[in-house]
Amino acid sequence: MPKNSKVTQREHSSEHVTESVADLLALEEPVDYKQSILNVAGEAGGKQKVAEGELDVEDRPAWNSKLQYILAQIGFSVGLGNIWRFPYLCQKNGGGAYLVPYLVLLIIIGIPLFFLELAVGQRIRRGSIGVWHYVCPRLGGIGFSSCIVCLFVGLYYNVIIGWSIFYFFKSFQYPLPWSECPVARNGTVAVVEPECEKSSATTYFWYREALDISNSISESGGLNWKMTLCLLVAWSIVGMAVVKGIQSSGKVMYFSSLFPYVVLACFLVRGLLLRGAVDGILHMFTPKLDKMLDPQVWREAATQVFFALGLGFGGVIAFSSYNKQDNNCHFDAALVSFINFFTSVLATLVVFAVLGFKANIMNEKCVVENAEKILGYLNTDVLSRALIPPHVNFSHLTTKDYAEMYKVIKTVKEDHFSALGLDPCLLEDELDKGTGLAFIAFTEAMTHFPASPFWSVMFFLMLINLGLGSMIGTMAGITTPIIDTFKVPKEMFTVGCCVFAFFVGLLFVQRSGNYFVTMFDDYSATLPLTVIVILENVAVAWIYGTKKFMQELTEMLGFRPYRFYFYMWKFVSPLCMAVLTTASIIQLGVTPPGYSAWIKEEAAERYLYFPNWAMALLITLIVVAVLPIPVVFVLRHFHLLSDGSNTLSVSYKKGRMMKDISNLEENDETRFILSKVPSEAPSPMPTHRSYLGPGSTSPLETSGNPNGRYGSGYLLASTPESEL
C-alpha cells in the first residue's frame, strides 16, 4: 500500500473512513488492472466505476451546534403564515373550533411525517433527491418534485418579503403614509382621492401606492418599479444568507429566528394593554361548532399543517442531513412542532388583541357617524324625538345607548327604515371582517398606536426576518439535493438560482402580479405538495417497510420510538391524506379556481374566475411539479435509467476492513443504510442492500471465499448483522 493512501495514513486512527475501490486503486503502483481480481465491474482494461457522490463523509458540512440546527428548523417552519394566515383561518373557520381540526391533523399527520423527514435526512445524509432515490429508486422523482415545488414557493414568497421591505422603509415617517387618504387640489378646492374615500386609507395605500394593482389578471399593466427594486433587495439578502451553505445561513438564523419572538412578546404586552383587546381575544376563542364538521375547514387545516412544518419541501430533509448520526431527531420533531404551534397561537393572540382594539375604535366611529345622521333626521322632522329614549345623551353617546336607539327606530320605521341608511354598528361585525392581509388590517390598527412608526418598523422588520428564515430553508430544499446529486459548485449554483429566480419573479411585480401570487399560493403549490407528502409516507411505510424503518431508528437513536408512529405511518396518515387530497380535487371541480380582484372604479374587491389561458398555466404548473414522479418511475421500471446500485465501496477503521456489496437483485427496493454504531457516520451515498433482520447472517460471512465473494484480497471482519 503506498504511503499517501488513506489506509496508510489512518491505519492507527479512530476516524471512520469510507473509500471507493477506485480511490484505493488510484494510489496503487501501476499494475495490469485488466487482470486484477479487483476489477469487479467487468470492464476490460478499465478501473472500477464508482457511483457519483462517493466522497468522504467528513467533507460534508455540519452544524456548529445543536442550537444552530434547532433555530434553522424553527426559522424554516415558523414563517409569515404563522403571523397572518393562521389567525385568518382561525377567525374564518370558527374561532376556537378551528383549533380542534388543526390539532388533530398536527398530531396524526404533521408530527409523524415531520419526524419521518428528519429521520431519513439524518440517516442517509443527503438532500431530498438522494434520500428518495435511496429509499426507493422508482420513486426517486419525489426529490425532483420537491425541488420544483420549492422553486414555485420561493418565487412568490420572496415577493412577499419585498412587500415587507417596501413597508419597512415607508415606516420611517410620521404620520404613517397609510394613516390618511391623499388629498388632491383642484385650484383652491381640496379633493380627497375618490378610490381612497370609498375604501379606507390603508386599503388604498396597499392596492394603489404599494401594488398599483390592475383590475384583473389579464391586464398586465407593466412592471411596478418600486416593487421590482424591493424584489431585487430581497433576493440579494437571501443570496448573501445562503451562498456559503449552512456556514453562512446558520449564523443568520441566530438573529432571524429569535428576533421575531422578541417583537411578538412586545406586541403581546402592548396589545393586551389596549382598550378592547379582551373583546378580540374572546372573539377568537368563541367556538362556532358547526364549522368543525365542514370538510373545507379540515382541508384548510391540513394545508396549513403542511406549510407550517415545511413538509414535502425538502428543506427539513436538507437541514437534518447535516446532523450527526446519533442526534435525537425524535426530540427535535416534538420540540419544533410545539414551538411552531405555540408561535401560531401567540401570533393569533397578538393579532386578535390588536384587532379587538381596532374594532372598538371603528365601532365608536360608526356610532358617531350614525348619531349625526339621526340628529339630522330629528332636525328635519324625518324622525320624531319621541323615538329617542329619554336617558340618551348625544354628547356622550355609548354603543349601548346607540344600539337601544337603533332598535327602537328600526321597529317603528320598519317600512322605511332602509331609506334612512343607518348601520347597526355591532362590535361583532367589525371583528367578523377578518384579519385579511397583514398589509391592510394590522397596518390600520398600528396607525392608532402611540409612537406608531416605531411599532410599524418593528412589525415589518419581524416579517422580513420570518420570511428570511423560511426562504433559507426553501433555498436549501433546492440547492442541497442538486449539489449532492450533480456535484455542481455550491457558490456558483446558489448565485445562479437567485439570479434566475429574480428574473422569473418579475412576473409577480407587474401590476397584475398579486393575482399570480394567489395562483401559485392557493393552487400551483398546494396540490403537488400534498401528493409529495403522501408518496413520501408510502415510500417509507409500505415500500421500504415500517418495521424495518423502526428498527433503523432504534439503531440510530439508541431507543425505540413510540408504537404510535408505526400506526400513523402505516395506516392513519396516508388514509387521512388520501381523503383530504380527494376532497381538494372535488373542490376544484365544483368551484372553479379564481381570485379576488381589486376594481379601481368601485374601490372594492370582486371575485373573478381565472381566464382560460390562466387555467392552462395553472394546470401546466401542477403537471410540471408532479411530472418527475411518473417519469422516473417509468424510466427505472423499464431499466431505461440506472438506479446506481451496482457500486462497491470499502469501509475500514483501525486497519480492520469491512466491505459493503450493493444489492444487485433487480426487484429489491427495500434498501436502507446500516452503520456499525449509531454514532458512526455512514457513506454519503450508502451502498444498497436488503435488511436481513436481527440475528440474520450476512452474506459476507457465509461466503466460501475467506477473502470475500469477489476475492478482493482484503480480509473481511466477521461482523454480525446486529453490529453493522
Side-chain angles (χ1 to χ4, degrees), residues 325-327 551-561 678:
Q325 278 282 295
D326 58 352
N327 175 64
Q551 177 63 29
E552 290 296 327
L553 290 180
T554 303
E555 294 180 6
M556 182 174 73
L557 300 175
F559 63 89
R560 188 172 184 83

Side-chain angles (χ1 to χ4, degrees), residues 449-464:
F449 280 22
S452 55
F454 168 78
W455 293 104
S456 183
V457 167
M458 294 291 285
F459 177 71
F460 288 108
L461 185 58
M462 176 186 68
L463 290 188
I464 293 170

Side-chain angles (χ1 to χ4, degrees), residues 503-712:
F503 283 106
V504 177
L506 295 177
L507 173 71
F508 303 99
V509 290
Q510 303 175 92
R511 292 182 58 200
S512 59
N514 189 46
Y515 306 138
F516 287 96
V517 171
T518 301
M519 176 191 292
F520 274 68
D521 186 27
D522 291 350
Y523 303 103
S524 299
T526 303
L527 189 57
L529 190 66
T530 308
V531 174
I532 289 170
V533 174
I534 292 175
L535 291 178
E536 287 182 353
N537 198 156
V538 170
V540 172
W542 288 92
I543 298 179
Y544 173 70
T546 312
K547 291 183 179 179
K548 288 180 283 186
F549 185 58
M550 291 288 282
Q551 177 63 29
E552 290 296 327
L553 290 180
T554 303
E555 294 180 6
M556 182 174 73
L557 300 175
F559 63 89
R560 188 172 184 83
Y562 297 117
R563 194 74 176 170
F564 162 81
Y565 293 104
F566 177 91
Y567 294 108
M568 293 300 105
W569 289 331
K570 189 75 171 179
F571 305 110
V572 180
S573 296
L575 178 61
C576 291
M577 288 187 291
V579 171
L580 291 169
T581 303
T582 304
S584 299
I585 295 173
I586 293 174
Q587 180 71 22
L588 286 175
V590 173
T591 306
Y595 61 100
S596 292
W598 179 258
I599 309 302
K600 180 178 181 179
E601 293 73 21
E602 301 174 6
E605 290 184 341
R606 184 193 301 171
Y607 189 82
L608 302 177
Y609 294 120
F610 285 118
N612 292 336
W613 66 265
M615 282 296 299
L617 175 61
L618 190 154
I619 294 171
T620 301
L621 292 171
I622 294 175
V623 171
V624 167
V626 299
L627 189 60
I629 298 173
V631 168
V632 172
F633 181 88
V634 170
L635 291 178
R636 285 188 172 145
H637 180 75
F638 292 102
H639 309 291
L640 300 175
L641 180 66
S642 172
D643 64 1
S645 63
N646 295 319
T647 61
L648 176 66
S649 67
V650 178
S651 299
Y652 51 86
K653 184 175 181 180
K654 285 187 177 181
R656 178 176 123 177
M657 306 289 180
M658 289 189 304
K659 181 171 66 177
D660 277 344
I661 308 299
S662 63
N663 181 14
L664 302 179
E665 294 182 13
E666 194 173 72
N667 296 320
D668 188 5
E669 295 172 350
T670 59
R671 295 172 291 196
F672 210 78
I673 184 168
L674 292 171
S675 62
K676 181 176 180 293
V677 292
S679 62
E680 286 186 9
S683 170
M685 184 59 72
T687 52
H688 299 153
R689 59 196 174 99
S690 297
Y691 178 79
L692 302 177
S696 300
T697 305
S698 170
L700 300 180
E701 297 177 48
T702 58
S703 174
N705 190 331
N707 289 333
R709 65 185 285 191
Y710 288 104
S712 63

Side-chain angles (χ1 to χ4, degrees), residues 25 31-40 43 710-712:
L25 294 178
V31 295
D32 184 4
Y33 291 119
K34 183 175 180 179
Q35 303 301 323
S36 172
I37 56 175
L38 276 172
N39 182 23
V40 295
E43 292 190 53
Y710 288 104
S712 63

Side-chain angles (χ1 to χ4, degrees), residues 50 64 258 276 405 420 467 472 519 548 583 597 611 629 632 695 716:
V50 186
N64 291 334
L258 294 176
M405 185 168 54
L420 299 176
I472 288 174
M519 176 191 292
K548 288 180 283 186
I629 298 173
V632 172
L716 299 178

Side-chain angles (χ1 to χ4, degrees), residues 177-183 192-193 196-197 199-201 204:
W178 54 83
S179 59
E180 297 177 352
C181 285
V183 177
V192 177
E193 177 65 38
C196 184
E197 189 175 23
S199 53
S200 68
Y204 173 83

